[in-house]
Amino acid sequence: MDASQVRNVGRMLDSLDERDYASKGTKRPEHRAGASYQPEPDDDLSDEWDKRISSIVKKEFEDDDNSDVAGSSSGGAGDSFSNPDAWIQDNTQKRKISAGQEQEKRQRSDAFAQRIDNMKESDFKQAYMANVHGNQMRDASGLSALKRDQMGLVRKEAVDEKLYEDMMQQQNCPKYQKMLEARKKLPSYKMRDEIVDAVRDNQVVVISGETGCGKTTQVAQFLLEDAVADGQGSTCSIVCTQPRRISAISVAQRVADERGENLGKSVGYQIRLEATHPRPEGSILFCTTGIVLQWLQSDPLLSKVSHLVLDEIHERDMLSDFIIAIAKDLIKVRSDLKVILMSATLNAELFSEYFGGCPMLHIPGFTFPVKEFYLEDVIEMTRFKFEDEREVPIWVRKSNKHKDNEFEGMIAPYVRNLERSGKYSCHTLDELYKSTSEKLNLDLVLELLRSINRKEPGAVLVFLPGWADISKLHSLIQGDRSFSRSSHLVIPLHSLMPSVNQREVFNRPPPGVRKIVLATNIAETSITIDDIVYVINAGRIKMKNYDKEANLVTLLPEWVTLANARQRRGRAGRVQEGVCYHLYSRAREQLLDDYPLPEIQRTRLEEIILHVKILRLGSAKPFLAKLMMPPDPNVVDKSLEMLQAINALDESENLTPLGFHLARLPVDPLTGRMLLMAAIFSCVGPILTIASALSFKDPFSVPLGKERIVDEIKKKMSRGTKSDHLMLVNVYDGWEDAWRHREAREYCWDNFLSSAVLEQLRNMRRQFMGLLYEHKFVNSKDPQAAEANRNSDNIALVRAIITSGLYPNVARVLPQRGRPNPHKPRSIRTQYERRVSLHPKSVNEKEREYESPWLMYREKIKSSKVYIHDSSMVPNYPLLFFGRKLNYVDGVINVDDFVRVRCSRHVAHLVQSLRTQLDELLEYKISHPGVTRWNKSSKEGALLHTIVDLISSEKISSSQDNYDYYDDGDD
DNA sequence: GAGCACTGC
């Protein structure tokens, strides 16, 4: 802050308590719902808030000369100079003085009541109170406390008749008849009566079956046809969930075809931002699991659903597991609701047991037989020779010690057995005795591909762990003369490559050409290639995991599970008999786990906890403990702590008003907070883009071999901002611009962008803006609305809003030691990791000069190193205004014991005063949603103007002086 | 110097 800024801020702060409002002391009109709402001037500042601000400002300026701003002399630095996060502090203080638990409980509910009392009457207050009270009741008395306030499924005889006649007519139509012939060939069709009877006689049924049995397309149809034939069509409304958007659409289309209809009659689908709804009665809706989760917010009993079919639940994704637990409670209240759980055969019992041993039906699958070979067979076949163990450096051998034990204990004895059997050659046995035979070896894959080359025609699918291996194997094949371009079509397949959206991978190649697909586990479930005959299972899979000890997300290759191996094998037998090569021995197979850990045990739980809260399912821990395979309670605690730290939950685990907003936004809590702040600070445009890209995916699509070029494009698009997030804003704005000039296609092509992703981002921006409008933070649904964008061109402010969203994900670029070296990456650390690296895809990875040492990031993942995947350089003020707890000691402002900024006591004092008031204002705005008014004569306007002016005036280069002194660099 | 895969009224 320079001298004139200090004067201005001081004047502004002084004026806050001198200002008198015409409306002061008079009762103000209440907020009204609906689009016509126009806020009265100063409507958002209650008398009480007014008084509070005044007293704080007054007190601090009176005490200016004799108070210790640093607060360090009293030892309670945090108390006198801290973020007045009123709720947390209220509760903590009350906790300190309360003696018994009962008293504490009363105190807490007093604090809660106080908080509610302080809120002005509004639609928001009503909705908020209803939620929190509902949750507290649910805690005590369970779901049955919910009253069924509307009957969703009322029988209408006229409709029943009409549906019946329609069906009769439909069944006589030749198109339907023809499709029926095909349906009758499916294994599931032969079990039609059993399925219908089981569902009729039981509330919950598990149906298991392998791919090709037709359960996904048939079961819902059987149930619908039975209901209509029975004259009950009007009360039959079937919802069938799918884990993926694409399968929801394609299954719906397929079923409509089978019925000789277009989508929108008896069959429809709904996914995020896209739907073709079927008629309301006598119908089937295919939707993603997330859609049902969102319905539950407004209709906790799913009162308009007669049959809930949960498909593909063996995949154990988090949302399926969560909805299964909700369904288990739901059936107690909805005795008329039928739940059908559909899974692969392997773990069907688990689901049945969870529902008290409900009946299970098994549908045999229909696939062609697949012959399986293991590593020993592949070596025998190819005469492949592994690297000698002696060639492996000693330190690598040592670091693999425990693996060696597994090898010595299980693999070696197995090979000795093989030796006795005499089935394999000495060469093979020698190779198997090498522990290097257990490493992923791309030369072996290449050798195997060569030998497949000599076999009958048929496409090959190779399962590899990730991008690097796909890339290496691709190069090996291209450089090998036995794979001529004219007779081989090699297609890499990875979610970040453009090939996933191209037809080529599905097409049958011309005669004489062999298709070889190099894929990740994307080809296990998401992408199905029909003409595969040979599968190579390299045996490894990358999975995201949460390491709770290190509090780190990891992405590391692991052995596949038997379930993965089975699924991979199945990919070979879709059109004819197939062959599957597993690149591990039969002994290793014995050591593989049966299934992957369910997703809920591998991730942090912040979002799912907010779902528990918004769905009024009571306390997080007891509810999550009811899941089929509950998450680790310590991880629940960690996630609860995080939600309390960002002030989304209070000490009693109630949603705060902020938490209530965050839980209703379809994004993770940090992104949600960024959106709310963007609305309050009127810079929605860029933040809508950033939030969309963070919660969906970045729009770049990188062909193999073009990595460098794409890196350069990103760097250029970042225009020197040193921010991946602002780079995305430029990319998106450039696309919108190109769109207006009808050049979007060229723009995407030239810049390696996916237009499908950009279109989804555009829709998500609209959706987010719509939600901010519904929640009354902006007064237009249009992402371009002038009022909500008055500060969108202020890059410094946008950086601050990024900070407010992503905090506490902040890293520090350490000062360089000695002479600057442009080739050496700068050392970076976070509060808890001494050393992290910028991911090479980040525009900052090659950056050596940082005008400010602070980088905000969204994702930090441990793979080969601990990588920060995305980053934005931000200056000091955003951290002072949007960090958590401030503290001033010895000429340094300290934010949460990590961020430190040198400044004079006087400036520190001003910052603290501003910060105190900003927090009060934000708390008020969050609990009294309304459009920000920037009129400087309003208190809100005066304060926000001052803060925005300060943030935008900070010369980013000057902050260099503020951190060079701070030399705890430990690189 | 590197990115398993999904999803949201």
Side-chain angles (χ1 to χ4, degrees):
Chain A
M1 253 189 241
D2 62 30
S4 77
Q5 285 178 324
V6 168
R7 274 196 304 278
N8 287 340
V9 172
R11 230 179 277 137
M12 192 280 299
L13 288 167
D14 275 341
S15 74
L16 280 191
D17 68 318
E18 287 165 5
R19 221 167 277 190
D20 201 10
Y21 297 105
S23 54
K24 196 170 182 175
T26 64
K27 184 148 172 45
R28 297 187 185 88
E30 302 300 343
H31 289 207
R32 284 188 307 272
S36 62
Y37 168 69
Q38 288 293 328
E40 299 293 323
D42 299 310
D43 186 27
D44 56 347
L45 299 183
S46 69
D47 291 347
E48 203 218 308
W49 192 74
D50 202 327
K51 264 185 270 168
R52 266 196 297 181
I53 270 216
S54 304
S55 69
I56 290 166
V57 175
K58 211 165 171 185
K59 182 172 171 296
E60 279 163 7
F61 279 83
E62 278 166 4
D63 295 350
D64 197 9
D65 289 326
N66 48 19
S67 75
D68 185 357
V69 177
S72 54
S73 59
S74 64
D79 292 327
S80 69
F81 194 84
S82 69
N83 172 359
D85 204 338
W87 294 4
I88 289 185
Q89 288 203 343
D90 276 352
N91 283 307
T92 351
Q93 282 161 12
K94 292 219 163 103
R95 267 156 68 90
K96 276 180 200 152
I97 55 166
S98 67
Q101 263 200 334
E102 270 311 302
Q103 192 188 351
E104 186 183 308
K105 214 170 172 180
R106 206 166 51 238
Q107 301 274 18
R108 282 198 203 178
S109 75
D110 285 353
F112 175 73
Q114 186 67 44
R115 181 163 92 224
I116 297 264
D117 281 353
N118 288 345
M119 281 165 70
K120 291 200 304 179
E121 278 311 322
S122 67
D123 294 350
F124 175 79
K125 180 175 178 177
Q126 279 188 12
Y128 170 69
M129 280 172 63
N131 181 275
V132 180
H133 281 312
N135 225 332
Q136 290 171 343
M137 277 160 55
R138 186 73 66 86
D139 235 359
S141 49
L143 188 77
S144 50
L146 257 185
K147 265 204 182 143
R148 194 161 171 196
D149 50 5
Q150 50 184 17
M151 292 295 288
L153 297 160
V154 185
R155 192 160 170 201
K156 299 172 192 152
E157 279 173 28
V159 176
D160 287 339
E161 267 172 48
K162 177 85 173 54
L163 288 171
Y164 183 80
E165 281 163 23
D166 280 359
M167 190 172 79
M168 287 301 135
Q169 234 169 30
Q170 180 184 39
Q171 292 184 347
N172 289 327
C173 140
K175 213 159 136 197
Y176 180 90
Q177 298 266 344
K178 194 171 164 238
M179 292 303 278
L180 189 63
E181 289 313 307
R183 287 176 67 192
K184 281 181 175 164
K185 292 197 180 100
L186 289 164
S188 53
Y189 204 88
K190 299 182 180 71
M191 294 186 64
R192 191 196 148 110
D193 292 343
E194 276 176 86
I195 293 167
V196 168
D197 288 347
V199 173
R200 197 180 287 203
D201 298 341
N202 299 279
Q203 198 174 7
V204 186
V205 175
V206 174
I207 298 178
S208 71
E210 295 311 311
T211 43
C213 74
K215 64 182 186 306
T216 300
T217 51
Q218 301 308 309
V219 170
Q221 290 194 74
F222 298 159
L223 299 173
L224 177 62
E225 287 160 359
D226 177 60
V228 173
D230 205 28
Q232 310 260 0
S234 64
T235 54
C236 181
S237 177
I238 303 170
V239 170
C240 178
T241 68
Q242 294 290 321
R244 282 169 293 281
R245 296 157 52 88
I246 300 175
S247 38
I249 298 179
S250 56
V251 170
Q253 186 62 60
R254 169 78 200 166
V255 172
D257 288 348
E258 286 186 4
R259 303 176 66 71
E261 297 172 3
N262 289 326
L263 280 174
K265 199 180 167 200
S266 71
V267 186
Y269 73 92
Q270 185 178 356
I271 61 177
R272 184 181 198 169
L273 303 169
E274 197 183 320
T276 302
H277 284 283
R279 64 190 177 210
E281 290 136 344
S283 63
I284 309 168
L285 178 79
F286 291 93
C287 66
T288 40
T289 333
I291 296 285
V292 174
L293 197 61
Q294 294 293 0
W295 289 345
L296 283 163
Q297 280 185 37
S298 52
D299 181 10
L301 298 171
L302 294 181
S303 56
K304 292 180 182 61
V305 178
S306 63
H307 300 71
L308 182 61
V309 185
L310 304 173
D311 200 3
E312 312 279 11
I313 53 172
H314 58 276
E315 291 182 19
R316 305 302 308 275
D317 60 281
M318 184 154 59
L319 291 186
S320 294
D321 272 15
F322 188 59
I323 286 200
I324 288 170
I326 292 173
K328 194 176 171 179
D329 283 346
L330 196 50
I331 52 172
K332 295 175 201 152
V333 203
R334 282 278 320 268
S335 52
D336 56 328
L337 177 73
K338 302 289 188 180
V339 175
I340 296 98
L341 304 161
M342 304 213 292
S343 102
T345 321
L346 51 135
N347 55 8
E349 282 91 359
L350 185 72
F351 302 109
S352 165
E353 277 164 30
Y354 186 66
F355 282 90
C358 71
M360 267 190 293
L361 283 179
H362 176 68
I363 308 174
F366 182 76
T367 45
F368 295 91
V370 176
K371 224 171 162 190
E372 284 181 279
F373 294 100
Y374 289 80
L375 182 64
E376 45 272 38
D377 312 309
V378 174
I379 298 174
E380 189 78 24
M381 213 165 79
T382 59
R383 310 292 293 168
F384 187 81
K385 205 168 174 307
F386 288 104
E387 189 182 26
D388 264 339
E389 274 159 273
R390 280 192 307 276
E391 293 160 19
V392 178
I394 181 90
W395 61 271
V396 174
R397 265 183 276 164
K398 273 196 175 153
S399 71
N400 286 334
K401 196 102 195 194
H402 67 284
K403 289 175 197 155
D404 281 357
N405 289 343
E406 213 169 60
F407 185 81
E408 294 302 332
M410 286 292 290
I411 314 289
Y414 168 73
V415 183
R416 282 195 285 277
N417 252 337
L418 278 189
E419 208 169 343
R420 280 193 286 278
S421 79
K423 281 187 201 151
Y424 291 89
S425 68
C426 292
H427 169 81
T428 299
L429 296 168
D430 286 348
E431 293 305 310
L432 287 174
Y433 275 125
K434 293 178 186 170
S435 66
T436 47
S437 68
E438 290 238 283
K439 272 177 39 182
L440 172 58
N441 193 315
L442 296 178
D443 292 316
L444 172 62
V445 179
L446 186 71
E447 204 53 58
L448 179 55
L449 283 170
R450 280 206 200 104
S451 91
I452 291 173
N453 242 347
R454 294 188 289 271
K455 295 183 194 299
E456 288 101 79
V460 190
L461 172 59
V462 188
F463 282 101
L464 294 163
W467 183 292
D469 296 295
I470 291 174
S471 178
K472 277 183 214 152
L473 183 59
H474 190 259
S475 309
L476 286 178
I477 294 172
Q478 300 297 349
D480 192 304
R481 265 177 299 161
S482 43
F483 299 92
S484 72
R485 305 272 167 119
S486 58
S487 56
H488 294 86
L489 176 63
V490 186
I491 304 173
L493 203 62
H494 186 288
S495 69
L496 304 177
M497 291 177 189
S499 50
V500 291
N501 295 315
Q502 291 161 357
R503 293 296 313 163
E504 193 184 28
V505 72
F506 302 107
N507 294 342
R508 305 230 168 180
V513 176
R514 194 188 291 275
K515 181 164 72 178
I516 302 176
V517 182
L518 314 181
T520 59
N521 37 357
I522 196 168
E524 249 181 57
T525 50
S526 312
I527 291 182
T528 301
I529 309 161
D530 274 327
D531 57 336
I532 298 295
V533 177
Y534 303 93
V535 162
I536 301 178
N537 167 21
R540 307 302 163 103
I541 193 165
K542 275 192 192 176
M543 292 255 264
K544 255 191 185 166
N545 259 304
Y546 175 63
D547 175 350
K548 67 179 197 296
E549 275 75 35
N551 190 23
L552 260 181
V553 174
T554 63
L555 179 64
L556 297 166
E558 301 166 26
W559 283 109
V560 293
T561 65
L562 292 174
N564 297 121
R566 198 186 161 95
Q567 180 69 15
R568 290 176 174 196
R569 184 191 67 193
R571 294 283 153 170
R574 296 185 60 84
V575 288
Q576 63 172 80
E577 292 184 12
V579 187
C580 178
Y581 303 93
H582 303 288
L583 297 186
Y584 44 80
S585 64
R586 288 184 176 83
R588 170 54 61 186
E589 187 186 42
Q590 299 292 309
L591 295 170
L592 298 181
D593 290 334
D594 290 341
Y595 324 104
L597 277 180
E599 189 186 9
I600 197 136
Q601 295 188 345
R602 293 188 287 114
T603 43
R604 291 188 57 108
L605 303 162
E606 280 83 7
E607 276 191 77
I608 212 80
I609 291 174
L610 287 183
H611 278 128
V612 171
K613 290 291 153 184
I614 200 71
L615 296 177
R616 297 183 277 188
L617 301 171
S619 293
K621 238 188 200 167
F623 183 81
L624 292 174
K626 292 197 292 187
L627 264 61
M628 229 176 332
M629 287 169 70
D632 183 330
N634 294 321
V635 179
V636 182
D637 282 333
K638 275 231 167 67
S639 300
L640 283 169
E641 276 166 30
M642 185 274 185
L643 288 169
Q644 281 162 355
I646 67 164
N647 194 24
L649 293 178
D650 68 12
E651 291 271 306
S652 317
E653 220 190 87
N654 292 311
L655 281 176
T656 63
L658 174 63
F660 186 60
H661 289 299
L662 296 179
R664 292 191 298 171
L665 289 170
V667 290
D668 70 274
L670 294 187
T671 307
R673 190 172 60 175
M674 199 189 304
L675 283 168
L676 296 173
M677 296 300 278
I680 292 173
F681 279 87
S682 305
C683 58
V684 295
I687 299 295
L688 288 170
T689 302
I690 294 168
S692 308
L694 288 181
S695 79
F696 185 46
K697 57 177 158 183
D698 97 42
F700 286 95
S701 183
V702 188
L704 209 50
K706 304 285 186 200
E707 294 89 338
R708 295 281 172 83
I709 300 173
V710 176
D711 287 347
E712 275 164 34
I713 289 171
K714 284 184 181 171
K715 188 83 180 180
K716 201 180 87 204
M717 290 283 211
S718 73
R719 300 200 199 124
T721 54
K722 304 189 183 181
S723 162
D724 291 302
H725 309 111
L726 292 168
M727 179 269 288
L728 289 169
V729 173
N730 295 337
V731 167
Y732 180 82
D733 291 346
W735 178 70
E736 285 275 20
D737 209 44
W739 188 268
R740 278 189 293 274
H741 293 92
R742 300 172 176 274
E743 291 163 358
R745 271 175 70 107
E746 294 83 345
Y747 181 81
C748 290
W749 178 261
D750 293 345
N751 295 301
F752 298 94
L753 296 164
S754 154
S755 49
V757 173
L758 282 163
E759 271 158 38
Q760 179 74 359
L761 296 184
R762 178 171 58 196
N763 293 335
M764 288 172 72
R765 291 176 91 243
R766 272 200 217 114
Q767 183 191 28
F768 294 155
M769 191 65 181
L771 290 165
L772 291 174
Y773 173 76
E774 272 171 40
H775 298 178
K776 297 195 172 57
F777 286 98
V778 292
N779 59 9
S780 165
K781 288 178 183 172
D782 178 5
Q784 320 235 40
E787 205 176 331
N789 281 295
R790 62 174 287 146
N791 295 321
S792 290
D793 292 330
N794 185 340
I795 304 255
L797 178 64
V798 174
R799 278 185 214 270
I801 301 308
I802 292 171
T803 308
S804 78
L806 298 182
Y807 196 86
N809 297 337
V810 52
R812 191 163 76 87
V813 183
L814 300 175
Q816 273 174 315
R817 292 257 169 95
R819 201 183 313 151
N821 177 351
H823 303 296
K824 194 182 158 214
R826 297 287 299 268
S827 298
I828 299 172
R829 69 163 303 158
T830 64
Q831 186 156 21
Y832 301 108
E833 284 90 19
R834 286 168 52 87
R835 191 175 195 114
V836 295
S837 305
L838 294 179
H839 194 279
K841 76 179 174 189
S842 166
V843 300
N844 288 329
E845 199 265 339
K846 282 198 218 54
E847 202 55 65
R848 298 295 174 261
E849 292 295 323
Y850 292 92
E851 292 80 9
S852 165
W854 310 118
L855 296 175
M856 300 309 299
Y857 63 89
R858 142 75 172 237
E859 258 199 325
K860 180 183 67 189
I861 302 176
K862 184 186 169 182
S863 50
S864 56
K865 293 183 205 163
V866 178
Y867 281 111
I868 284 176
H869 282 230
D870 54 324
S871 59
S872 280
M873 180 178 73
V874 300
N876 295 318
Y877 277 130
L879 289 158
L880 300 182
F881 288 126
F882 299 112
R884 203 159 158 247
K885 201 164 179 176
L886 298 186
N887 200 338
Y888 184 69
V889 185
D890 297 333
V892 177
I893 298 187
N894 169 326
V895 191
D896 302 320
D897 298 323
F898 180 60
V899 172
R900 295 175 202 198
V901 179
R902 167 160 302 205
C903 73
S904 72
R905 173 192 283 203
H906 189 57
V907 169
H909 194 174
L910 291 178
V911 167
Q912 183 217 351
S913 305
L914 280 173
R915 173 60 193 268
T916 308
Q917 288 170 64
L918 175 62
D919 288 340
E920 296 270 353
L921 173 64
L922 291 177
E923 188 185 324
Y924 184 86
K925 299 245 24 131
I926 290 294
S927 51
H928 302 78
V931 176
T932 303
R933 275 152 313 109
W934 290 88
N935 183 346
K936 283 189 190 178
S937 64
S938 74
K939 201 161 265 186
E940 172 180 325
L943 179 61
L944 291 179
H945 265 290
T946 305
I947 288 171
V948 171
D949 287 349
L950 270 180
I951 285 173
S952 26
S953 72
E954 185 172 8
K955 286 194 283 295
I956 214 167
S957 56
S958 71
S959 55
Q960 186 80 21
D961 309 331
N962 290 332
Y963 82 98
D964 265 356
Y965 77 93
Y966 174 45
D967 193 0
D968 70 348
D970 43 13
D971 52 324

